[in-house]
Amino acid sequence: MKSILFNAYADKGHARRLDLALDLARVFDGHLTLLNAVPYEAAGTIDPYGAAFAAMVPIWRDEAKKLREKTEADLANEGVPWEFVETAGPVSLSLLRFSALADLVVIGEREPRGGGKAPSFTAGEVALGTDCPVLVLPDECERIDFDKPAIVAWDGSPEASHALRSAVPLLAKMSNVYLVMVGEGKKEKKEFDLPPLRGADYLSRHGISCELVQLAPDDKGVAHAIQSAADTRGAGLIVMGAYGRMRLAERLFGGVTREMLTDVKIPLLLKH
């Protein structure tokens, strides 16, 4: 994870997220790109959103300027290579564009510029559209505790397999890894399902041992079962596939993905 893309947005969790991203850059001897997306160019000659939108543009540009100045001051002595990039357009599209050469995207749990509500549409959209993993951080999270275990949600699907593979650099540093399977009653087995041992075998080839955990079906759903397993084991990271699809104007998150993004309690690594 040498190239880390960070969504720079001046909400209450920004400073903590930035500290965590800097820690990851140090751990992996990587480079940090801070991306601040202003909705649209202030110099645009056409304003399809009316006077209210036009009035907000200079405010957004002023916020971006202040954020850049503060960031440059804060990072002056951090000893991590970094760059601050300003771009115009929706946050999700900007992150997707710059993620083409990123190994990891770091973003907060709440929707940027959308009143701070969860689940973050942006986090879900980026997770579905990018080729690299997306690390979604809770507001109060200050670091990834590598002395804690990691929970990997496993169902043998391509999404779960891609998530497992992309998480290897982080899993290798966690104290323990649990490969967690949640029973879903009499659900028919999919043709693409891989048995749990295949996931464990893959990790072992990277020198990572894991413990297989089979959970009974949970009346409150798969997301609740995964979160409960993480809470019981004191996990510091959850890894799971991002389920859903993105097609032109139609963007849908799978039910489990939406539920996990609604209540992010510990760092959540998503990969489609």
Side-chain angles (χ1 to χ4, degrees):
M1 293 183 171
K2 295 290 188 180
S3 181
I4 300 173
L5 178 62
F6 177 80
N7 181 46
Y9 176 61
D11 61 0
K12 69 175 184 178
H14 173 265
R16 287 185 289 270
R17 291 195 301 272
L18 180 54
D19 285 343
L20 188 150
L22 286 167
D23 286 344
L24 289 177
R26 294 188 189 95
V27 166
F28 294 109
D29 191 24
H31 178 277
L32 182 62
T33 298
L34 299 96
L35 179 67
N36 179 238
V38 176
Y40 290 97
E41 289 283 9
T45 57
I46 299 177
D47 177 19
Y49 296 94
F53 181 87
M56 287 301 299
V57 171
I59 296 176
W60 289 328
R61 295 193 67 178
D62 185 58
E63 289 176 349
K65 179 182 178 182
K66 290 179 179 178
L67 179 61
R68 177 167 193 150
E69 291 173 348
K70 186 178 187 306
T71 300
E72 290 177 342
D74 290 343
L75 299 187
N77 299 309
E78 288 291 344
V80 171
W82 61 275
E83 62 178 326
F84 193 100
V85 177
E86 293 174 336
T87 185
V91 178
S92 57
L93 294 183
S94 298
L95 287 170
L96 285 172
R97 181 158 58 94
F98 280 86
S99 71
L101 288 177
D103 301 316
L104 178 70
V105 175
V106 178
I107 190 170
E109 65 169 316
R110 300 188 180 277
E111 180 64 20
R113 303 190 186 282
K117 297 180 181 180
S120 170
F121 176 82
T122 297
E125 185 175 23
V126 174
L128 293 180
T130 186
D131 288 331
C132 66
V134 176
L135 184 63
V136 185
L137 302 178
D139 282 343
E140 304 302 321
C141 182
E142 296 181 352
R143 66 190 181 104
I144 292 182
D145 192 342
F146 293 116
D147 292 329
K148 291 183 176 182
I151 296 289
V152 180
W154 179 258
D155 64 2
S157 66
E159 290 87 350
S161 301
H162 294 157
L164 180 70
R165 188 176 63 192
S166 69
V168 162
L170 286 171
L171 296 179
K173 297 185 180 298
M174 304 301 292
S175 66
N176 197 5
V177 177
Y178 294 96
L179 209 60
V180 173
M181 297 143 285
V182 182
E184 296 188 66
K186 297 182 179 179
K187 178 182 176 182
E188 294 184 2
K189 182 178 178 65
K190 299 184 181 71
E191 292 183 0
F192 56 70
D193 283 351
L194 296 174
L197 287 177
R198 291 289 298 274
D201 288 343
Y202 176 79
L203 290 178
S204 70
R205 297 183 192 114
H206 290 272
I208 302 171
S209 60
C210 70
E211 182 176 336
L212 303 179
V213 179
Q214 178 70 56
L215 300 178
D218 191 315
D219 291 339
K220 295 183 180 180
V222 173
H224 184 266
I226 294 170
Q227 290 169 335
S228 296
D231 185 56
T232 299
R233 291 161 179 79
L237 176 69
I238 295 177
V239 176
M240 66 172 287
Y243 297 84
R245 54 200 171 123
M246 185 170 66
R247 184 179 62 209
L248 298 177
E250 179 186 25
R251 300 175 178 89
L252 300 175
F253 307 154
V256 176
T257 305
R258 180 183 295 277
E259 290 174 25
M260 294 295 291
L261 285 172
T262 299
D263 186 17
V264 183
K265 297 179 179 178
I266 63 175
L268 173 65
L269 190 76
L270 295 172
K271 179 71 172 69
H272 187 47

